[in-house]
């Protein structure tokens, strides 16, 4: 498996001959495209058709829980199975500044794949598939720029699955209570924008 990981990395990783525009595009994708996660979460909570607000907020909370569980699992896996980044081993070419900490599983991969899987399971299939495509592009970019192994991204996907499973099970025990508490807090903090009609009640 380690040999396959190295071969795939060398196949994907950029070189000194790679076009500048390609490196710049990959850098944007690797660093900034992940911002779609908080932006979508905020938009789904604040806006939408009145009849869909509750289901959207359930999606937001379940997704948030899944992300917390997935990142916690990711941290535990990283402690149990530490793996150096490619550039820390002197392999390939690095085009993105990054600390030489452990790489497995990828936090970026864990975040975007958890988000995509949550949309597949709890929203609409097409929206999750689009996010899965975005996640795949982010995964490619971080391998291309030399800061992750391909298996780091596969690990992020698998951890995302576990995070969604944990969130689904937890929701059955305390999800509705949490929704009521968070909704009450939201109405108190956003009373003025709600009255003005800027955001949904």
């Amino acid at each position: 498996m380690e040999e396959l990981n190295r071969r795939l990395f060398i196949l994907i990783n950029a070189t000194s001959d790679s076009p500048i525009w390609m490196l710049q595009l990959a850098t944007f994708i690797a660093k900034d495209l992940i911002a779609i996660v908080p932006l979508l979460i905020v938009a789904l909570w604040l806006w939408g058709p009145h009849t869909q607000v509750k289901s959207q907020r359930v999606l937001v909370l379940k997704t948030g829980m899944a992300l917390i569980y997935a990142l916690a699992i990711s941290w535990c896996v990283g402690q149990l199975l530490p793996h150096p980044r490619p550039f820390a081993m002197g392999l390939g070419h690095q085009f993105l500044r990054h600390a030489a900490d452990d790489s497995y599983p990828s936090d970026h991969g864990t975040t975007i794949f958890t988000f995509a899987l949550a949309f597949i399971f709890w929203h609409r299939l097409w929206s999750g598939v689009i996010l899965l495509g975005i996640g795949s592009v982010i995964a490619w970019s971080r391998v291309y720029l030399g800061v992750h192994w391909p298996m780091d991204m596969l690990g992020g996907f698998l951890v995302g699955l576990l995070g969604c499973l944990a969130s689904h099970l937890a929701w059955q025990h305390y999800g509705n209570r949490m929704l009521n508490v968070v909704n009450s807090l939201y109405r108190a903090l956003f009373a003025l924008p709600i009255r003005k009609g800027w955001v949904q009640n």
Side-chain angles (χ1 to χ4, degrees):
M1 188 65 76
E2 185 64 23
E3 182 61 24
L4 176 61
N5 199 22
R6 292 184 178 221
R7 286 176 180 269
L8 287 174
F9 173 77
I10 294 298
L11 186 64
I12 299 170
N13 183 220
T15 70
S16 55
D17 296 326
S18 297
I20 295 295
W21 69 266
M22 193 74 167
L23 293 171
Q24 291 174 337
L25 176 62
T27 300
F28 167 76
I29 293 170
K31 292 174 64 177
D32 299 323
L33 201 54
I34 196 74
I36 194 172
V37 172
L39 290 175
L40 267 177
I41 285 177
V42 170
L44 284 168
W45 184 274
L46 295 179
W47 299 288
H50 183 72
T51 55
Q52 296 179 20
V53 168
K54 182 178 179 181
S55 63
Q56 287 182 187
R57 290 180 179 171
V58 168
L59 170 67
V60 167
L61 290 179
K62 289 181 78 173
T63 301
M65 289 165 57
L67 284 170
I68 292 170
Y69 283 125
L71 290 171
I73 295 168
S74 175
W75 183 85
C76 292
V77 171
Q79 299 303 304
L80 293 171
L81 301 170
H83 196 289
R85 294 179 186 273
F87 61 83
M89 300 174 64
L91 188 68
H93 299 82
Q94 180 191 3
F95 295 96
L96 184 66
R97 188 174 298 176
H98 202 292
D101 52 359
D102 293 323
S103 69
Y104 183 86
S106 163
D107 287 339
H108 275 75
T110 296
T111 299
I112 192 62
F113 285 132
T114 301
F115 197 61
L117 289 166
F119 270 60
I120 287 174
F121 296 144
W122 304 318
H123 192 241
R124 295 180 180 87
L125 179 61
W126 65 265
S127 63
V129 169
I130 290 173
L131 288 169
L132 202 58
I134 292 172
S136 299
V137 173
I138 291 174
W140 162 81
S141 70
R142 297 186 74 80
V143 177
Y144 182 77
L145 296 173
V147 295
H148 271 293
W149 302 96
M151 293 302 171
D152 296 343
M153 298 304 170
L154 177 60
F157 180 86
L158 296 175
V159 167
L161 277 175
L162 291 176
C164 288
L165 175 61
S167 176
H168 181 70
L169 295 174
W171 186 264
Q172 297 175 32
H173 293 287
Y174 59 81
N176 287 323
R177 291 196 301 274
M178 184 173 67
L179 177 62
N180 291 333
V181 169
V182 176
N183 262 330
S184 298
L185 183 62
Y186 163 72
R187 291 190 186 104
L189 294 175
F190 284 75
L192 178 60
I194 290 172
R195 281 201 307 272
K196 295 287 188 180
W198 298 337
V199 296
Q200 281 282 13
N201 189 354

